[in-house]
Amino acid sequence: MRDGFLPFSPPCLDEDEIAEVSESLRSGWITTGPKCRAFEAALAARLGSPAALAVNSCTAALHTALAVLGVGPGDEVITSALTFCSTVSVIEHVGATPVLVDVEPDTLNLDPAAVAAAVSERTRVLLPVHYGGHPCDMDALWAVARKHDLAVLEDAAHALPARYRGRWIGQGDNPVAFSFYATKNVTTGEGGMLTGAPEFIDEARIASLHGMSRDAWRRHAKGGSWYYEVVMPGFKYNLPDVLAAIGLAQLRKLDRMQARRREVVAAYTAALADLPLRLPVQRPECESAWHLYSVRLLPEAPVGRDEFVQRLAAANIGTSVHFIPIHYHPYYREKYGWQPGAFPVTEEAYRGLVSLPLHGGLATEGLERIVEAAVQAIGAK
Ligand SMILES: *Cc1c(COP(=O)(O)O)cnc(C)c1O
């Protein structure tokens, strides 16, 4: 095992998840039902969220939230140039126009000054992404939102659990979307959660399941009625109980997994400090969820990012890159005519950007191997 492959972010699963899933399968109710409700309640309790809705992806949560906000053609949504494609594709799905802005050099989060400059008559929503699990500068973003009467929808795919000025991301009344994709801090294989004000979440629940005024669990459970009404052309975004079961077990071990993430982060930061790398930071008013440990090879490093990734792969170490800037993708480049140079901080970061393995199950032996390999990969020309 000494030289075995060290994956970038494997899920931390054990008998607890298996027992929860077995219970769900044996119960005879495998789609949205009691496990989902328990998962929603557990996440809302963990974060102090006013209400929560389980869905089958973060992308679904974002799309549902934009639909419930009533965002549509003619509207603009401001988001980060350095994010996963689905943050932006959901804006396209509702027929609105994405307005990309650049990020701040230390956190790689939405730059509030750039956001303020990008606001127009048509802006409806700010869609900040908590990059790597580090909260955005929410006070500055809310100041812009309040001034122009904009909604704030947070992409918190990386930010479970993260705190900004002592409050959890997902604790407020505004909509916040989480991801339980296989690589995320908490996983259900595929899954997501939308938190927010109770009335908003009630509407989102209807929108996420065919626009039906009553969900299947309440119709098909004992005492339920066959009758329902369709009040809007809704989506099919509900989370099955079999997957919510995995999430319930994951939430119970979240603190343990986070503690290990912080140990790994501290070890990386100590071991890599003298290399030609820009390391991730944590601002004093923030507590990062440490979803990613993304380093940036500095221009003076003797090796480029692609070669660095290849050398780590040759040493049997998985890495990833978060993210290819949105305006580099052909669809967006061609549709909006964004040119290279449009978002200089994003582009400069991307040139050297690479995420090292970071997960709640990373053992010290593996960690030492990664550090050793990283030092070697940078050192030699
Ligand atoms: C993973 C991710 C998403 C999408 O999450 P899914 O649950 O796979 O839909 C959205 N935004 C960011 C920043 C992500 O990393």
Side-chain angles (χ1 to χ4, degrees):
M1 282 313 286
R2 181 72 200 137
D3 306 317
F5 181 61
L6 291 170
F8 168 66
S9 181
C12 300
L13 304 172
D14 59 31
E15 290 306 317
D16 210 22
E17 281 80 4
I18 293 167
E20 279 283 0
V21 170
S22 300
E23 193 182 287
S24 176
L25 291 172
R26 285 182 215 285
S27 76
W29 190 277
I30 59 173
T31 189
T32 310
K35 293 278 185 201
C36 270
R37 293 298 139 79
F39 186 34
E40 289 166 351
L43 186 111
R46 178 69 176 73
L47 300 179
S49 314
L53 167 67
V55 287
N56 56 26
S57 72
C58 178
T59 307
L62 291 167
H63 187 194
T64 302
L66 287 177
V68 172
L69 286 168
V71 177
D75 296 334
E76 293 178 355
V77 178
I78 297 178
T79 194
S80 172
L82 190 67
T83 186
F84 185 59
C85 59
S86 78
T87 316
V88 186
S89 62
V90 292
I91 302 169
E92 298 273 322
H93 290 336
V94 296
T97 303
V99 174
L100 299 184
V101 307
D102 212 348
V103 294
E104 297 193 275
D106 60 338
T107 58
L108 302 181
N109 278 332
L110 217 45
D111 179 344
V115 170
V119 172
S120 82
E121 294 281 278
R122 293 168 175 258
T123 309
R124 290 282 316 280
V125 180
L126 303 186
L127 207 175
V129 180
H130 304 297
Y131 181 93
H134 190 291
C136 292
D137 185 349
M138 294 310 294
D139 281 356
L141 293 175
W142 274 109
V144 176
R146 291 206 177 93
K147 182 169 170 199
H148 300 281
D149 196 23
L150 311 174
V152 177
L153 165 61
E154 295 168 65
D155 181 337
H158 300 178
L160 179 64
R163 267 197 277 218
Y164 177 77
R165 298 196 189 284
R167 284 174 63 78
W168 296 108
I169 299 297
Q171 189 163 0
D173 273 335
N174 68 301
V176 180
F178 295 94
S179 174
F180 309 126
Y181 178 65
T183 58
K184 301 286 157 70
N185 289 30
V186 166
T187 186
T188 59
E190 302 286 351
M193 192 81 78
L194 184 64
T195 63
E199 321 78 65
F200 188 90
I201 293 300
D202 286 348
E203 272 189 65
R205 192 178 298 281
I206 291 170
S208 72
L209 190 61
H210 304 305
M212 280 163 36
S213 59
R214 256 202 255 205
D215 64 35
W217 189 41
R218 279 185 286 168
R219 281 188 294 117
H220 295 305
K222 188 169 176 301
S225 153
W226 55 269
Y227 188 74
Y228 60 87
E229 289 176 336
V230 170
V231 295
M232 67 172 288
F235 307 120
K236 174 62 180 175
Y237 282 163
N238 57 309
L239 184 72
D241 261 22
V242 178
L243 299 185
I246 303 174
L248 277 171
Q250 287 271 293
L251 277 186
R252 288 197 290 267
K253 65 173 77 147
L254 178 57
D255 287 340
R256 211 172 350 123
M257 294 192 292
Q258 288 303 116
R260 183 57 186 160
R261 279 180 188 271
R262 284 191 294 269
E263 285 171 6
V264 172
V265 165
Y268 275 151
T269 300
L272 305 175
D274 296 332
L275 299 177
L277 292 174
R278 183 160 186 174
L279 303 181
V281 296
Q282 186 172 246
R283 291 186 182 178
E285 70 277 16
C286 294
E287 191 180 309
S288 177
W290 289 115
H291 172 57
L292 298 177
Y293 196 86
S294 299
V295 303
R296 281 170 271 173
L297 287 145
L298 296 174
E300 64 265 30
V303 67
R305 188 265 316 279
D306 295 354
E307 177 67 22
F308 182 72
V309 165
Q310 274 174 23
R311 288 179 186 179
L312 287 179
N316 249 342
I317 291 160
T319 56
S320 192
V321 174
H322 300 87
F323 294 94
I324 301 163
I326 294 298
H327 65 297
Y328 284 8
H329 293 296
Y331 174 82
Y332 292 105
R333 198 178 58 217
E334 285 158 24
K335 180 164 182 184
Y336 297 102
W338 285 309
Q339 299 294 321
F343 308 105
V345 181
T346 294
E347 293 172 27
E348 171 64 26
Y350 172 64
R351 265 191 285 281
L353 201 54
V354 54
S355 304
L356 299 179
L358 175 58
H359 53 92
L362 185 55
T364 301
E365 194 202 10
L367 175 63
E368 285 167 356
R369 244 182 73 198
I370 295 161
V371 166
E372 219 178 278
V375 170
Q376 267 185 17
I378 293 180
K381 253 263 192 242

